[in-house]
Amino acid sequence: MLRLAGGAAAGMLLAPRAAPVSARPVDRHLPFPRRLRLARPQRGVVEATLVAAPATVRVHDRLARLWTYNGSLPGPLLRLREGEHVRLRLTNRLHEETNLHLHGLRVSPAVDDPFLSISPGESVLYEFDVPQGSRGLHWYHPHVHGRVAQQLFAGLAGPILVDAADEPPRPRDVADRVVVLKDLELVDGAPAPHAFADWRRGKEGRLLLVNGALAPALVATDRLLRLRFLNASNARYYRLALEEHAFRLVASDGHALGQPLVVDELLLAPGERADALVALEREGRFALLDLPYDRGAGMMMGGPGGAAGPEPVRLMTIVRPPGIAARAVPPPYAAAEDLRQRPADAVRRLVLAEGMMMGGGFTINGRTFDPGRVELGARLGTVEVWEIENRGRMDHPFHLHTYPFQVLSRNGAPESAVLWKDVVNVRPGEVVRVAVALRDFAGRTVFHCHIVEHEDRGMMGTLEVTPA
Ligand code: C2O
Ligand code: CU
Ligand code: CU
């Protein structure tokens, strides 16, 4: 068994209502992501600023020079409400270009523009409305083609949590926690540079950080926990299991499931989110484990970053102390729209492939990304079926901006749940069919593999949606 990391870290955040623990003391509590300070100049309007800049951050037992939003790892939590009007300023204090992507939020591509580039020293205002029905966990990160992998690995990513308009916010409620999973590798106090092979397999690090902490503990104050997981890693997959407990999956990629799924494991590819309820039936300490998962990058493993070993890793510990209150399982959400029976307005095939050579390009339909080329043109208001085929040897998590999709089938086997997502993992040899609802906004945006090295090396295409 891995033991909990010893030694108190300065600056760690303590759970504010942590109940006394009967057994061993807890070394390090699961930090809350720092909250982004919001100004509310008038009713329904939210203003905030993100500054992308190098900063020295305590990572476990040492100081590291990272690239951060507002000096924190992960970036500060942007907590919004459906219907709010947001003015979010991004200031670039890096020495290279960056921009901001609001991953999972349905925002016009004219605002959430992956083609925008912000020079060092510049600021850009992102102004948008938080759409109805966007309650759930999303995130933000940079999206300048060719620079995403290094910027994300160095620390630039943060969570966005949207509350429903009719939901009372429960800030700092230990029963409802955002859990950001991000791996890191440090060399001489800085993020390890990409090695040649990292550009092929996707870069992983050996520090498996949970809200920026190593192997923290979450001391429950209720018997029912809601854990909102975000995989903000470049390339690492997390196959999550909680000792002696099942997960009740209530939302995926910020989309509520009408019918929760009870599962023993949750596989989270880069970019994916999963909201799970955990009912702690007994007192005790339970490890949240990352189980081994073969994503096909094994032939590339070895050396720094090749930490995906055969042993489960303890990501954190959940402690249920004696004598805490029971909490009723909340009723399921309203059933989501089901597009399974809807005829498709168009059917497309997208073939993901890996170049033969080391360092060779990653392609979609035989081509690497070209910002000047529209790969797919579609009409606003239609529903298309996309067949995503992986002809490579590695898993590729396929992601589409702006337009959510419903998973229909894998290799012909129908998906039994009504499952809406914005990232879907596609295994080698698999064909995943999804129904894409091209609604709300016209414009140009992108789809890509969310192993960001693959994205930077070409596995991305442009979708242009034109008004009907
Ligand atoms: Cu998080 Cu283009 O993606
Ligand atoms: Cu995205
Ligand atoms: Cu990929």
Side-chain angles (χ1 to χ4, degrees):
M1 262 329 238
L2 293 159
R3 35 183 289 277
L4 266 182
M12 75 182 184
L13 296 167
L14 294 174
R17 309 193 277 121
V21 193
S22 62
R24 284 169 292 158
V26 166
D27 299 300
R28 182 185 302 256
H29 289 271
L30 175 69
F32 286 85
R34 190 193 290 177
R35 287 195 51 182
L36 183 60
R37 189 190 303 272
L38 305 177
R40 296 181 185 275
Q42 62 200 85
R43 203 180 143 77
V45 176
V46 172
E47 292 179 347
T49 300
L50 287 171
V51 180
T56 300
V57 174
R58 180 169 291 278
V59 177
H60 183 47
D61 56 357
R62 68 200 97 158
L63 295 175
R65 193 78 181 148
L66 305 180
W67 291 356
T68 66
Y69 292 110
N70 300 10
S72 71
L73 180 77
L77 171 67
L78 175 56
R79 186 134 191 196
L80 301 172
R81 240 166 213 276
E82 291 175 354
E84 278 178 329
H85 184 73
V86 183
R87 295 188 195 120
L88 179 62
R89 181 167 294 281
L90 174 70
T91 298
N92 181 7
R93 296 230 177 94
L94 305 171
H95 58 263
E96 62 180 46
E97 300 189 324
T98 191
N99 64 10
L100 198 69
H101 169 46
L102 305 163
H103 179 139
L105 268 193
R106 280 178 293 123
V107 164
S108 167
V111 175
D112 182 7
D113 179 0
F115 303 98
L116 181 75
S117 190
I118 306 173
S119 302
E122 276 186 6
S123 278
V124 163
L125 187 66
Y126 289 83
E127 188 160 2
F128 58 93
D129 293 315
V130 182
Q132 298 299 331
S134 59
R135 152 178 60 193
L137 183 63
H138 311 290
W139 63 305
Y140 58 89
H141 62 79
H143 223 288
V144 170
H145 183 58
R147 297 303 304 159
V148 180
Q150 278 130 324
Q151 293 188 7
L152 187 66
F153 196 73
L156 290 169
I160 301 173
L161 183 56
V162 177
D163 295 309
D166 55 2
E167 210 172 34
R170 292 183 303 179
R172 297 221 149 193
D173 188 342
V174 84
D176 186 346
R177 299 295 300 266
V178 169
V179 182
V180 181
L181 304 171
K182 189 247 182 297
D183 61 348
L184 186 61
E185 181 82 22
L186 295 172
V187 173
D188 298 329
H194 274 65
F196 190 66
D198 292 332
W199 285 111
R200 183 156 187 91
R201 67 189 179 194
K203 189 162 183 60
E204 297 189 5
R206 286 172 296 189
L207 293 168
L208 274 56
L209 302 176
V210 184
N211 290 352
L214 199 61
L218 169 57
V219 181
T221 52
D222 286 281
R223 286 185 215 168
L224 190 69
L225 289 176
R226 179 174 185 149
L227 302 173
R228 305 181 190 246
F229 295 107
L230 157 64
N231 182 355
S233 305
N234 279 39
R236 181 178 288 277
Y237 283 55
Y238 296 85
R239 188 178 149 216
L240 303 174
L242 180 61
E243 285 179 333
E244 300 174 45
H245 289 81
F247 298 111
R248 201 176 166 83
L249 182 69
V250 293
S252 174
D253 293 353
H255 296 277
L257 276 75
Q259 200 53 52
L261 292 173
V262 177
V263 292
D264 288 326
E265 293 176 8
L266 289 171
L267 181 68
L268 279 191
E272 283 191 295
R273 289 89 70 210
D275 286 17
L277 298 178
V278 170
L280 300 168
E281 306 294 356
R282 289 180 296 100
E283 290 164 27
R285 304 167 71 95
F286 308 99
L288 178 73
L289 299 170
D290 177 24
L291 303 177
Y293 176 73
D294 181 7
R295 62 179 181 89
M299 74 284 187
M300 296 292 164
M301 285 301 175
E311 298 297 321
V313 175
R314 184 208 295 242
L315 294 171
M316 69 176 195
T317 304
I318 294 176
V319 182
R320 205 205 106 173
I324 57 171
R327 186 190 274 253
V329 174
Y333 293 105
E337 183 186 7
D338 187 354
L339 296 180
R340 281 177 294 188
Q341 302 308 323
R342 192 191 182 289
D345 295 306
V347 178
R348 323 266 192 180
R349 181 158 287 232
L350 295 171
V351 176
L352 313 179
E354 302 148 12
M356 297 302 286
M357 309 288 287
M358 281 285 284
F362 289 82
T363 60
I364 298 180
N365 290 349
R367 290 178 286 267
T368 55
F369 178 67
D370 173 351
R373 188 186 65 239
V374 173
E375 191 67 41
L376 290 183
R379 290 250 167 252
L380 186 63
T382 60
V383 172
E384 298 195 347
V385 168
W386 292 7
E387 303 172 342
I388 307 151
E389 177 181 358
N390 182 351
R391 287 202 196 140
R393 293 196 291 168
M394 274 180 259
D395 287 26
H396 296 289
F398 180 86
H399 171 52
L400 170 63
H401 287 207
T402 312
Y403 309 101
F405 52 78
Q406 185 187 350
V407 180
L408 300 175
S409 66
R410 285 180 180 275
N411 278 350
E415 170 62 59
S416 53
V418 178
L419 188 63
W420 283 83
K421 297 188 62 62
D422 56 55
V423 177
V424 66
N425 191 45
V426 189
R427 306 209 63 187
E430 237 180 9
V431 178
V432 175
R433 296 175 86 245
V434 301
V436 185
L438 298 159
R439 292 173 184 158
D440 301 325
F441 308 105
R444 256 186 206 204
T445 194
V446 291
F447 48 86
H448 59 88
C449 175
H450 220 295
I451 290 177
V452 285
E453 287 79 9
H454 298 174
E455 170 193 346
D456 275 346
R457 290 294 161 105
M459 198 177 267
M460 177 153 79
T462 300
L463 165 70
E464 178 163 42
V465 177
T466 47

